[in-house]
Amino acid sequence: MTRLLPALRVMKCSAIALLVGTAALPGAALAQGGDHVIDFALGAPVLTLDPGVAAGTQAQTARVQIMEGLVQLNAETSEIEPLLAESWEVADDGVTWTFHLREGVRFHDGSPLTADDVVASIGRIIDPASGMGRANDLRQITEIAALDDSTVKIVTAAPSGTLLRVLALDSASILSTAAIEEYGDQIGWHPVGTGPFKYESHVAEQSITFVRNDDYWGKVPEADGVKFITVPEASTRLTMLETGEADIIVDVPGADVERLRETDGISLIEKPNTRLGHVGMNVSRAPLNDVKVRQAINFAINREAIVKGVLRGVGVPADSIIAPTVAGYVPQDMYGYDPQKARDLLAEAGYPNGFDITMWTPQGRYYMDRETMIAVQALLGQVGIRANVEVVDWSTYLSALREPVDGNKSQLYWLGWESGTADIQVILDTVFDGSRMPPNGWNTMFYKNDKVDELRAAMSREVDPDKRQDMAAEVQKIIMTDAPWAPVYSYVQVSGYNSDIDGIEYLPTDVYRLKNVTFK
């Protein structure tokens, strides 16, 4: 077994049976741990609450319970609505924005929200010296200043049609200036926000506990608190829901969806989101530095069969680098399932007998992640690519993918990028920017195409929606042709929850808001 890092824990997998049913258990009752404490079982750990650190949507779900931004997405319409900013306007120059803060808001430490806190929070992320992983989210902001205690000025590099959506990201959350100054880079476990819940404690990579903020500026939550629990195995999460150990679980197995629809005491959220699951490829290393090999891998993958057999229909076969729910999506009918075409391309690339390669996957971070990669392993084997699947724990996984190119041992790997703004721009800027390779960015493919960078930059400045859509179509075609990814499917989130609760808000960005949860 290849060891990538001293801390790496891997498990070899083979192309075993993928579809395992779960026996029905007694109907769910409200999870214990407090009269109205919400027990929420996630598939991967919350690694940090620091909004400047990229740690996945499970961390984002935790953060939005305790901290807030100037604006937020409406969970039903995806429209922008006020949060800590009551109103805003943009000047005639198109780049100068003025935000007016809500009065009467206090942080969890009792201090009042002021414009200085907004400047400190966002300024910390965009400061080049900070090296924050989420700086890319806010890259269009070139200046931020407090005009008075309740007014903030933000200047962008060019007119922007996406600034408000960017400010709705958790990376633009506002923290107490005093906490930022006191805790510095340890703020991740000392967060002081304005949200409806407050941080209480955590057990590293196992659980995190919040309590209700009784001094919340808005409607005080009915729940006494929230506890997020790390449970990588989908079958275990399902058992917890059915026995009352959990009130909410993510990623219900497709094989159990029909049964749960008819189960008393359990309800389901079934919504498409902006996440797209893909096989990423490190194009800096042979054989993946050959575009014909990367295209062969795309032709070798039977997306429809994986969605039907592995996901049990809970997904949509992918035909681009973004999901259909993302603004800018244009389907690219480029890679139908064609194993003979894959073999021909491999032969043209000098690999008529295939080759050996390693595929990494997390387990439980994404719906059916390990199972999907085992299915991909079998499909690649049919065209001569002998793949070894290694399961890597989530925290190590992120670190290993972010190693600099010279020491990066990745080859093929599974990720599921979502668009936090529901717009293609954030994916282009975060993942396909040729200047944002590890360790300073998330271009974990080490992919660079000058035309992609040109289009990406032009799109960020374009305010005409038709012109922008044309550029989006062109950039998707280029990237799909270059094939640094093999997109497999976009996600339909199926979450289970106790029918005795109501008011869960699920955003298309794969984030849950719990402040409006009520109990029957």
Side-chain angles (χ1 to χ4, degrees):
M1 180 182 299
T2 303
R3 291 191 65 82
L4 306 175
L5 295 169
L8 186 63
R9 299 189 293 276
V10 299
M11 178 173 61
K12 289 187 178 180
C13 301
S14 59
I16 58 174
L18 300 176
L19 305 174
V20 179
T22 302
L25 293 168
L30 190 63
Q32 300 303 307
D35 287 343
H36 284 160
V37 172
I38 303 167
D39 288 315
F40 195 140
L42 298 168
V46 176
L47 298 177
T48 178
L49 295 172
D50 187 337
V53 178
T57 50
Q58 71 278 10
Q60 294 172 31
T61 286
R63 291 168 187 160
V64 301
Q65 317 309 325
I66 61 170
M67 55 188 76
E68 300 171 308
L70 296 175
V71 297
Q72 69 177 10
L73 286 179
N74 181 286
E76 294 301 322
T77 67
S78 294
E79 296 298 318
I80 294 295
E81 56 190 22
L83 196 56
L84 294 182
E86 284 191 306
S87 62
W88 53 86
E89 62 268 353
V90 60
D92 291 341
D93 63 8
V95 299
T96 304
W97 296 70
T98 304
F99 293 85
H100 306 280
L101 301 185
R102 188 179 301 276
E103 295 182 358
V105 178
R106 292 190 173 273
F107 288 101
H108 299 156
D109 62 4
S111 61
L113 168 71
T114 71
D116 288 336
D117 298 300
V118 178
V119 173
S121 298
I122 295 178
R124 167 180 175 262
I125 307 296
I126 66 175
D127 180 2
S130 72
M132 302 301 297
R134 299 291 296 282
N136 192 65
D137 291 353
L138 309 178
R139 66 190 300 171
Q140 62 183 278
I141 299 175
T142 59
E143 180 186 345
I144 182 166
L147 301 182
D148 56 41
D149 281 352
S150 61
T151 312
V152 178
K153 178 181 77 171
I154 291 178
V155 180
T156 58
S160 171
T162 61
L163 177 65
L164 293 176
R165 291 187 172 275
V166 165
L167 292 175
L169 294 170
D170 66 297
S171 50
S173 297
I174 310 305
L175 299 173
S176 158
T177 302
I180 293 173
E181 293 175 349
E182 179 176 356
Y183 297 110
D185 60 7
Q186 300 301 308
I187 193 73
W189 296 120
H190 301 276
V192 181
T194 61
F197 297 95
K198 302 186 293 184
Y199 169 79
E200 182 178 69
S201 64
H202 78 284
V203 178
E205 301 197 21
Q206 295 183 42
S207 66
I208 181 167
T209 302
F210 299 152
V211 296
R212 181 174 57 216
N213 175 15
D214 288 321
D215 297 316
Y216 183 52
W217 60 267
K219 181 182 177 182
V220 175
E222 193 171 310
D224 296 315
V226 182
K227 184 173 184 178
F228 293 102
I229 310 160
T230 303
V231 186
E233 288 286 351
S235 59
T236 304
R237 292 195 299 272
L238 182 55
T239 298
M240 292 175 67
L241 178 64
E242 294 187 295
T243 59
E245 293 179 77
D247 298 307
I248 308 171
I249 65 169
V250 297
D251 299 334
V252 170
D256 294 286
V257 171
E258 285 296 331
R259 176 176 63 82
L260 292 179
R261 287 176 181 151
E262 305 301 323
T263 300
D264 291 340
I266 291 177
S267 298
L268 297 178
I269 296 171
E270 301 178 65
K271 289 186 176 182
N273 58 35
T274 64
R275 188 180 301 284
L276 186 126
H278 66 274
V279 178
M281 310 187 205
N282 182 344
V283 305
S284 72
R285 303 175 61 188
L288 299 174
N289 58 350
D290 190 321
V291 67
K292 290 183 178 180
V293 170
R294 302 195 300 269
Q295 291 174 343
I297 289 172
N298 270 277
F299 280 114
I301 296 175
N302 189 334
R303 293 161 175 82
E304 288 76 12
I306 289 175
V307 168
K308 182 178 180 180
V310 178
L311 304 190
R312 293 294 182 93
V314 184
V316 179
D319 55 10
S320 187
I321 60 168
I322 54 175
T325 53
V326 177
Y329 165 78
V330 177
Q332 306 295 315
D333 187 16
M334 201 172 291
Y335 296 112
Y337 176 53
D338 192 338
Q340 186 57 53
K341 178 69 172 177
R343 294 186 195 99
D344 292 344
L345 284 167
L346 290 174
E348 291 174 21
Y351 299 98
N353 299 315
F355 51 81
D356 297 313
I357 200 164
T358 297
M359 304 197 307
W360 292 351
T361 180
Q363 180 173 337
R365 168 59 189 94
Y366 306 108
Y367 175 57
M368 303 298 279
D369 42 18
R370 177 180 64 90
E371 294 84 352
T372 295
M373 282 299 254
I374 293 171
V376 171
Q377 175 193 39
L379 290 163
L380 294 183
Q382 292 174 9
V383 301
I385 299 174
R386 298 170 295 279
N388 175 50
V389 177
E390 294 182 348
V391 178
V392 186
D393 72 272
W394 182 239
S395 60
T396 305
Y397 198 76
L398 295 180
S399 297
L401 287 176
R402 292 289 299 279
E403 286 290 319
V405 63
D406 290 343
N408 195 300
K409 295 187 171 82
S410 67
Q411 291 183 295
L412 301 177
Y413 57 87
W414 182 259
L415 279 179
W417 275 102
E418 91 293 338
S419 170
T421 61
D423 185 275
I424 189 175
Q425 191 73 50
V426 71
I427 294 296
L428 295 176
D429 289 346
T430 303
V431 188
F432 293 100
D433 182 344
S435 68
R436 298 285 297 174
M437 297 177 186
N440 299 316
W442 280 98
N443 183 344
T444 51
M445 309 85 65
F446 299 96
Y447 165 74
K448 182 172 176 57
N449 182 304
D450 291 341
K451 183 62 175 179
V452 168
D453 285 332
E454 177 187 324
L455 285 165
R456 179 186 55 75
M459 285 178 62
S460 70
R461 299 187 296 268
E462 183 57 64
V463 294
D464 184 301
D466 293 332
K467 292 180 180 178
R468 195 167 182 272
Q469 184 71 3
D470 289 342
M471 288 188 281
E474 184 177 359
V475 78
Q476 287 168 81
K477 182 178 181 180
I478 294 171
I479 294 172
M480 289 290 286
T481 301
D482 286 349
W485 282 8
V488 181
Y489 50 73
S490 58
Y491 286 80
V492 174
Q493 177 57 252
V494 181
S495 306
Y497 65 96
N498 188 317
S499 298
D500 285 337
I501 64 177
D502 199 5
I504 301 168
E505 295 180 90
Y506 178 72
L507 280 68
T509 54
D510 202 21
V511 171
Y512 301 76
R513 283 198 297 253
L514 305 175
K515 65 181 179 181
N516 294 319
V517 165
T518 58
F519 300 84
K520 298 176 182 177

